[in-house]
Amino acid sequence: MKLSDEYKELTWQGLWKNNPGLVQLLGLCPLLAVTSTVTNALGLGLATMFVLICSNATVSAIQQWVPKEIRIPIFVLIIAAFVTCVQLLMNAFTYGLYQSLGIFLPLIVTNCAIIGRAEAYASKNPLKQASFDGFMMGLGFLLVLIVLGGIREILGQGTLFDGADLLLGEWASVLRVEVFQLDNQFLLAILPPGAFIAMGFLIAAKNKIDAKLAEKAPKKANVEIERVRVNFDS
Amino acid sequence: MRKTIEKNAQLLALFAVACTALIAFVNFLTQDKIIEQEQQQLISTLSSIIEPSSHDNSISQTCIILEDEQLGELPQKAYLATNNNSPVAAAITTTAPDGYNGNIFLLVAINFDGTLSGVRAIKHQETPGLGDKVELRKSQWILSFNGKKILDENDHRWAVAKDGGMFDQFTGATITPRAVVNAVKRTTNYFNQHKAELFNTAPNCSENAEIK
């Protein structure tokens, strides 16, 4: 019972309460750079999730052998190795997507969410929980990427899943939805400033929902003002 | 103290070796596939601009290296299509150095009689939504080169409409199409001057050499 509570808590933290994209605001660089279409967002999100699960699992598995003084370089080494592997695999098996995401893939190394989870959670918890935490944090990040990608693609090009065949193979070109026909693309939504603005609205929406939830639950009305922490178990 | 430092250094070295080994292993597994993908990409681009039934050689294998300032600063490649050893067409890589945001890399296919067989933008960093209409994925514009011909070296029709030429510009982006039109014009001029010479050159770049 206690264990399932912990998984529940990890899910809640990863997807909502401590979402790496919306709350921790980590990994903004890839987040804003690639979310011009849903396909790109999905590609980078899956790659990030994969790296996050692998790095969390590895860091957790080796925690007893890693002295405190050199843990950070070792984490960086592990993350960089997994990112390079993902890059090679994507180059080999999803070549089209690799061409549109190529320069952003190495940015996963600089995604602080990954080293943040390694340091804050994986290095202190058992393998199973750490992998699960990586999965949920990755999923939370992926969902924010997709929502942001969807908003920007609809506003910018009037489509959804444009170029999905690059990621998923030829059959996926049927996924492309033309929401409405645009004579001229709405440039702001496609360029980085549009990403910042959309991101701002997303965070505002999340805060609004949180406020509504807090109102509905009067018992917890005396919410203390909490600093956003990467490390929720401290 | 010294012991700890030594122990940590050893551990770090151990992790470095392990991570490198992992990457080397994945690289070994994927390298053939990556070369194959790049090759396939090249073949499919080439066959989209040079009609595959018009030639009987393997274009992607018949490649020569060109150096000429009309084609840009970097050495470029020409892929030659022949039928029964008589020249059919050539696809030449070229660079438009004056794009809105850096170089635009193009592949220009020209029939032996000087008409254009097709043009594709291979790589560019033009503004999304404006200049990126040079990509076939975004716009049909690049197809407007098909079948065009240069009449003489200073053919003034070879310009965007704004400059009095026969090619449309994009709404809000004139620099990108202007750069592409000029690059295609230079490449076609180069081809017209050197075509006999090109088809007499023995292939001197193998595909594997291109990929590092």
Side-chain angles (χ1 to χ4, degrees):
Chain A
M1 189 61 204
K2 219 183 145 242
L3 201 63
S4 77
D5 274 353
E6 185 163 0
Y7 284 120
K8 229 182 246 170
E9 177 65 13
L10 283 176
T11 311
W12 175 242
Q13 293 277 0
L15 295 187
W16 187 263
K17 185 155 174 257
N18 208 9
N19 184 299
L22 291 179
V23 180
Q24 299 176 36
L25 296 181
L26 295 176
L28 281 184
C29 177
L31 185 89
L32 298 172
V34 298
T35 51
S36 55
T37 67
V38 177
T39 311
N40 283 356
L42 194 65
L44 190 90
L46 289 175
T48 307
M49 188 158 95
F50 177 76
V51 172
L52 198 49
I53 296 172
C54 291
S55 72
N56 262 15
T58 316
V59 165
S60 169
I62 60 167
Q63 53 181 300
Q64 63 202 83
W65 295 293
V66 178
K68 223 174 83 202
E69 297 82 16
I70 54 164
R71 68 186 193 286
I72 299 292
I74 286 182
F75 295 167
V76 172
L77 207 57
I78 291 170
I79 295 167
F82 279 121
V83 170
T84 314
C85 292
V86 168
Q87 205 180 347
L88 287 170
L89 290 171
M90 283 183 79
N91 195 348
F93 298 103
T94 55
Y95 189 68
L97 190 77
Y98 176 76
Q99 286 185 317
S100 62
L101 283 182
I103 55 165
F104 300 112
L105 279 178
L107 285 181
I108 300 178
V109 180
T110 68
N111 188 335
C112 327
I114 296 175
I115 196 155
R117 292 324 293 168
E119 164 74 5
Y121 191 85
S123 62
K124 296 167 194 150
N125 287 282
L127 183 65
K128 266 191 198 160
Q129 278 94 321
S131 315
F132 189 75
D133 177 72
F135 174 66
M136 277 306 158
M137 283 289 162
L139 193 63
F141 191 66
L142 173 70
L143 291 176
V144 175
L145 279 171
I146 291 179
V147 171
L148 202 57
I151 294 174
R152 288 177 70 193
E153 191 175 344
I154 291 179
L155 290 180
Q157 310 185 8
T159 59
L160 269 179
F161 290 107
D162 185 27
D165 48 325
L166 297 180
L167 177 64
L168 303 166
E170 277 305 313
W171 64 271
S173 47
V174 297
L175 282 179
R176 188 177 185 280
V177 184
E178 183 113 25
V179 182
F180 48 83
Q181 184 69 43
L182 290 173
D183 289 339
N184 269 313
Q185 298 182 323
F186 180 46
L187 255 193
L188 180 65
I190 301 176
L191 295 177
F196 270 106
I197 296 169
M199 187 70 190
F201 277 111
L202 276 187
I203 296 172
K206 184 196 177 282
N207 289 346
K208 181 101 187 162
I209 294 172
D210 277 346
K212 277 265 163 64
L213 286 180
E215 249 173 50
K216 272 190 186 163
K219 264 187 195 168
K220 289 181 187 168
N222 55 343
V223 197
E224 55 190 288
I225 297 166
E226 204 180 350
R227 216 160 37 87
V228 171
R229 277 172 302 177
V230 178
N231 185 356
F232 62 81
D233 56 5
S234 65
Chain B
M1 179 67 191
R2 202 189 141 136
K3 259 213 159 129
T4 337
I5 293 176
E6 271 174 10
K7 191 173 156 257
N8 285 351
Q10 279 166 5
L11 256 177
L12 266 179
L14 196 70
F15 273 103
V17 170
C19 289
T20 315
L22 175 74
I23 293 173
F25 178 66
V26 175
N27 182 41
F28 173 74
L29 284 184
T30 51
Q31 58 185 358
D32 291 341
K33 185 81 184 159
I34 292 174
I35 290 174
E36 188 188 317
Q37 289 268 23
E38 285 173 349
Q39 182 80 12
Q40 254 174 16
Q41 172 90 0
L42 179 70
I43 291 174
S44 78
T45 313
L46 284 172
S47 67
S48 72
I49 51 179
I50 298 179
E51 175 58 38
S53 60
S54 69
H55 60 88
D56 59 3
N57 69 329
S58 157
I59 319 182
S60 61
Q61 302 293 331
T62 319
C63 157
I64 57 179
I65 292 176
L66 308 174
E67 267 179 82
D68 190 291
E69 57 184 29
Q70 287 187 76
L71 303 174
E73 285 169 11
L74 308 162
Q76 305 288 355
K77 295 207 181 72
Y79 298 93
L80 307 177
T82 55
N83 197 6
N84 276 332
N85 291 325
S86 64
V88 174
I92 302 174
T93 62
T94 190
T95 326
D98 42 3
Y100 189 71
N101 193 12
N103 290 343
I104 304 171
F105 296 90
L106 300 164
L107 187 63
V108 182
I110 310 158
N111 294 320
F112 195 66
D113 64 4
T115 55
L116 277 163
S117 176
V119 180
R120 290 292 179 277
I122 304 292
K123 203 170 101 188
H124 70 86
Q125 293 122 34
E126 300 302 292
T127 320
L130 291 177
D132 68 350
K133 288 185 186 133
V134 292
E135 279 176 51
L136 188 58
R137 269 176 53 198
K138 303 274 162 72
S139 158
Q140 305 275 311
W141 180 80
I142 202 91
L143 299 179
S144 64
F145 287 104
N146 293 3
K148 296 283 195 309
K149 196 171 183 164
I150 289 187
L151 297 179
D152 61 76
E153 289 217 352
N154 295 314
D155 193 339
H156 60 267
R157 299 173 309 135
W158 276 73
V160 291
K162 204 176 190 175
D163 304 336
M166 61 178 169
F167 297 98
D168 288 335
Q169 62 265 9
F170 309 142
T171 320
T174 314
I175 293 174
T176 310
R178 187 185 282 151
V180 173
V181 169
N182 286 337
V184 174
K185 184 183 178 184
R186 280 196 301 272
T187 310
T188 314
N189 274 334
Y190 173 85
F191 179 78
N192 289 340
Q193 292 155 14
H194 298 88
K195 56 185 173 187
E197 190 185 319
L198 286 183
F199 282 95
N200 281 327
T201 313
N204 56 6
C205 54
S206 74
E207 258 331 293
N208 295 346
E210 182 203 22
I211 304 158
K212 281 168 238 165

